[in-house]
């Protein structure tokens, strides 16, 4: 069942909902000069004609602009969510009304419905896949290996998805080429750092209506996302504590002036905890026992396994909704620990979560669009496995953005090119 059919079942005025979704998409598009430029090009040249693209991504306005761009390029697109809580139903319904697009994404699905929607996308027999978290690629390999021969390639959006694909690749189990969109400079230096920093902090502030100033914010993981969260929290006058397992990252955080502590110690000090590791069991029973009354726990990593909610549930004598998007777990000694968005990535799964700012996603999705074009044009030249996105594609997207911003920059002279390539020049 498409999202339109499913939403129709419980919403009276579906047309009004569709219009709301369309309005959000139009607003996003206005602020996405890269996708505007690519869709003009795609409309004229139709480079994706004849392809069927299967997508599992966070279905909200910016993603919808990407989906529509791919359809304008001539593809048939089937899309669903990559998280049970991140879909915006109005956008999903609006997307389903776009020519050559079918959306199966609905917010608030259980695990069975979530995978059923992925199956519905796979029923379209995609020739290209676009994932955020690799659930679709994994499902195709596990359940539908017969489709692999007709899949030319795919693209993966996030760190956790790229980790999963690399693990599959190392085991010799990844059977078609996948671009690691996450790993491009145009994606992770902006999306993971600034996007996650800004949107996680604003989603937490809006969900709790609490201030950052003077709070002790514990950031678990000082990778791209953690650096963004730490920097923005510091900018909002919080005291930032970083927890890391990688010695050079811990040192980097220390040299940036943050307190670096083991989680067992940070647990006692923190007012707000934000996990950004892509790992599991980062905050566990040991830590819950040390936390102060009123502590806020939020996750910005891809999966909901960073805060061990089963252990928290075991410790709790009561749990209840403290606010929309906030669940309080009451401990035997009366302390209340507040979990946001069920421990799912807070910037998208909180009821107010809008995901990253539009401009940031324009860059990430610009890379997705040129990767899909590359798969169509040159897919046969890539072997099965994980591939870096060719640097010229990343630069192409950067140039479109610079042009849209009216930013001019220098280029190398011939002498400089020759100098940089030579080893004979010395003192
Ligand atoms: P990264 O690999 O750059 O950083 C992760 C860091 O966590 C590493 O420095 C690692 O050493 C550290 N770490 C691992 N286990 C740890 C533990 N037990 N305790 C403390 N630190 C630990 O990855 P990146 O790009 O920062 O992504 C992190 C997660 O966020 C991934 O799951 C990714 O998919 C997700 N993500 C979420 C976004 C969002 O919108 N919320 C946007 C982009 C990525």
């Amino acid at each position: 069942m498409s999202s339109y059919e499913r939403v129709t079942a419980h919403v009276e005025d579906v047309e009004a909902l569709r219009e709301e979704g369309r309005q959000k998409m139009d607003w996003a598009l206005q602020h996405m000069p890269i996708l505007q430029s690519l869709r003009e090009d795609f409309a004229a040249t139709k480079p994706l004609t004849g392809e069927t693209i299967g997508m599992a991504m966070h279905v909200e306005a910016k993603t919808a602009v990407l989906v529509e761009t791919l359809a304008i390029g001539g593809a048939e697109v089937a899309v669903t969510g990559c998280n049970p809580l991140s879909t915006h139903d109005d956008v999903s319904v609006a997307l389903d009304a776009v020519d050559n697009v079918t959306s199966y994404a609905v917010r608030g699905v259980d695990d069975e419905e979530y995978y059923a929607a992925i199956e519905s996308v796979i029923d379209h027999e995609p020739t290209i896949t676009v994932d955020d978290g690799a659930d679709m690629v994994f499902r195709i390999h596990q359940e539908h290996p017969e489709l692999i021969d007709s899949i030319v390639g795919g693209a993966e959006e996030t760190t956790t998805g790229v980790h999963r694909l690399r693990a599959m690749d190392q085991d010799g189990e990844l059977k078609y080429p996948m671009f690691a969109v996450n790993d491009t400079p145009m994606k992770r230096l902006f999306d993971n750092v600034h996007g996650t920093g800004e949107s996680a902090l604003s989603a937490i502030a809006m969900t709790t209506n609490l201030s950052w100033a003077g709070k002790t914010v514990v950031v678990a993981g000082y990778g791209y996302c953690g650096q963004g969260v730490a920097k923005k929290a510091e900018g909002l006058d919080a005291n930032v504590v970083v927890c890391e397992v990688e010695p050079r990252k811990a040192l980097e955080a220390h040299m940036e002036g943050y307190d670096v502590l083991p989680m067992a110690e940070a647990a006692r000090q923190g007012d707000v905890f934000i996990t950004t590791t892509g790992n599991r069991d980062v905050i566990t029973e040991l830590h819950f026992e040390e936390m102060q009354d009123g502590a806020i726990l939020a996750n910005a990593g891809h999966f909901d396994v960073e805060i061990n909610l089963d252990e928290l549930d075991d410790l709790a004598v009561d749990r209840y909704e403290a606010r929309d998007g906030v669940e309080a777990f009451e401990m035997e000694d009366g302390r209340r620990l507040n979990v946001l968005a069920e421990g799912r990535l807070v910037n998208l799964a909180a009821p107010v979560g809008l995901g990253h700012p539009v401009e940031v996603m324009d860059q990430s999705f610009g890379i997705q669009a040129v990767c899909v074009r590359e798969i169509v044009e040159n897919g046969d030249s890539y072997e099965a496995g994980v591939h870096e996105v060719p640097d010229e594609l990343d630069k192409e997207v950067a140039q479109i953005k610079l042009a849209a911003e009216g930013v001019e920059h220098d280029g190398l002279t011939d002498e400089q090119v020759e100098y940089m390539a030579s080893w004979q020049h010395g003192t």
Side-chain angles (χ1 to χ4, degrees):
M1 240 199 295
S2 72
S3 64
Y4 183 87
E5 290 161 325
R6 293 203 45 187
V7 170
T8 319
H10 62 91
V11 170
E12 245 171 53
D13 194 348
V14 179
E15 196 44 36
L17 195 72
R18 190 191 69 73
E19 271 171 31
E20 265 172 46
R22 185 70 242 178
Q23 197 179 39
K24 288 182 183 173
M25 287 166 65
D26 290 343
W27 172 260
L29 177 61
Q30 273 179 52
H31 301 275
M32 299 180 93
I34 300 169
L35 286 186
Q36 281 174 29
S37 164
L38 288 171
R39 67 166 59 195
E40 266 176 37
D41 190 37
F42 281 13
T45 59
K46 298 280 177 197
L48 314 181
T49 302
E51 303 296 337
T52 302
I53 305 177
M55 301 175 70
M57 304 199 99
H58 300 291
V59 175
E60 47 75 62
K62 287 92 72 182
T63 313
V65 174
L66 169 65
V67 172
E68 198 174 43
T69 303
L70 299 175
I72 288 171
E76 184 206 329
V77 188
V79 60
T80 185
C82 65
N83 182 297
L85 282 186
S86 64
T87 296
H88 290 213
D89 283 345
D90 49 0
V91 172
S92 187
V93 167
L95 200 47
D96 201 49
V98 171
D99 282 349
N100 294 325
V101 175
T102 312
S103 175
Y104 296 95
V106 177
R107 188 185 183 91
V109 287
D110 61 24
D111 278 4
E112 200 180 315
E113 293 166 321
Y114 174 80
Y115 285 108
I118 289 189
E119 286 292 330
S120 298
V121 171
I122 296 172
D123 284 346
H124 288 250
E125 301 190 355
T127 53
I128 295 171
T129 61
V130 179
D131 254 292
D132 186 327
D135 276 349
M136 179 159 305
V137 175
F138 184 71
R139 191 83 180 183
I140 287 171
H141 281 69
Q142 284 285 87
E143 307 286 341
H144 304 278
E146 73 285 357
L147 293 180
I148 287 173
D149 274 352
S150 47
I151 297 180
V152 197
E156 168 56 49
E157 173 76 7
T158 198
T159 313
T160 286
V162 172
H163 280 171
R164 283 180 91 183
L165 293 173
R166 290 223 160 92
M168 280 175 83
D169 199 7
Q170 265 166 18
D171 288 348
E173 296 294 337
L174 181 59
K175 306 291 186 196
Y176 62 84
M178 287 291 302
F179 280 125
V181 168
N182 178 73
D183 295 358
T184 60
M186 279 295 283
K187 199 273 182 183
R188 70 176 166 193
L189 297 180
F190 301 90
D191 174 316
N192 301 32
V193 179
H194 297 282
T196 311
E198 284 187 29
S199 64
L201 293 187
S202 49
I204 294 169
M206 303 256 310
T207 303
T208 60
N209 197 206
L210 297 175
S211 163
W212 292 106
K215 292 271 190 321
T216 296
V217 175
V218 177
V219 181
Y222 195 66
Y224 291 96
C225 294
Q227 287 174 28
V229 171
K231 184 184 164 93
K232 311 283 174 183
E234 187 186 34
L236 289 163
D237 299 329
N239 307 308
V240 176
V241 173
V242 169
C243 301
E244 247 298 342
V245 292
E246 213 285 328
R248 290 156 300 180
K249 292 284 169 195
L251 184 58
E252 206 181 336
H254 172 69
M255 296 296 273
E256 287 291 327
Y258 301 120
D259 286 338
V260 177
L261 293 173
M263 183 57 82
E265 177 56 35
R268 293 193 198 106
Q269 300 187 14
D271 298 303
V272 184
F273 295 80
I274 307 172
T275 51
T276 66
T277 70
N279 205 345
R280 61 178 300 167
D281 301 330
V282 178
I283 305 183
T284 62
E285 180 179 8
L286 179 74
H287 311 120
F288 301 134
E289 280 170 347
E290 299 296 331
M291 286 179 183
Q292 305 175 47
D293 178 32
I296 306 277
L297 286 85
N299 167 48
H302 188 78
F303 286 121
D304 60 342
V305 294
E306 306 212 10
I307 304 167
N308 190 322
L309 291 182
D310 289 339
E311 289 184 4
L312 184 57
D313 184 48
D314 286 347
L315 289 177
V317 291
D318 191 16
R319 53 189 280 188
Y320 55 91
E321 188 182 59
R323 244 178 99 81
D324 194 18
V326 184
E327 190 174 15
F329 289 70
E330 196 170 316
M331 304 289 105
E332 207 165 10
D333 58 10
R335 287 175 304 126
R336 288 151 302 180
L337 308 184
N338 299 297
V339 175
L340 270 52
E342 301 175 16
R344 297 191 184 275
L345 75 182
V346 68
N347 53 330
L348 282 146
V352 294
L354 294 174
H356 289 356
V358 178
E359 301 91 326
V360 165
M361 293 319 295
D362 189 29
Q363 293 188 196
S364 304
F365 290 159
I367 304 288
Q368 287 284 4
V370 295
C371 279
V372 169
R373 190 191 64 198
E374 174 71 6
I375 292 164
V376 177
E377 288 173 354
N378 300 309
D380 291 344
S381 59
Y382 294 92
E383 310 241 307
V386 179
H387 293 267
E388 298 297 327
V389 175
D391 210 35
E392 61 275 15
L393 296 186
D394 204 43
K395 283 187 184 155
E396 175 188 341
V397 173
Q399 292 294 7
I400 300 173
K401 175 77 175 181
L402 286 168
E405 297 275 317
V407 177
E408 291 184 19
H409 65 102
D410 292 321
L412 294 171
T413 63
D414 291 344
E415 290 75 17
Q416 287 171 330
V417 171
E418 191 269 326
Y419 179 79
M420 296 302 281
S422 72
W423 51 270
Q424 289 96 341
H425 299 285
T427 39

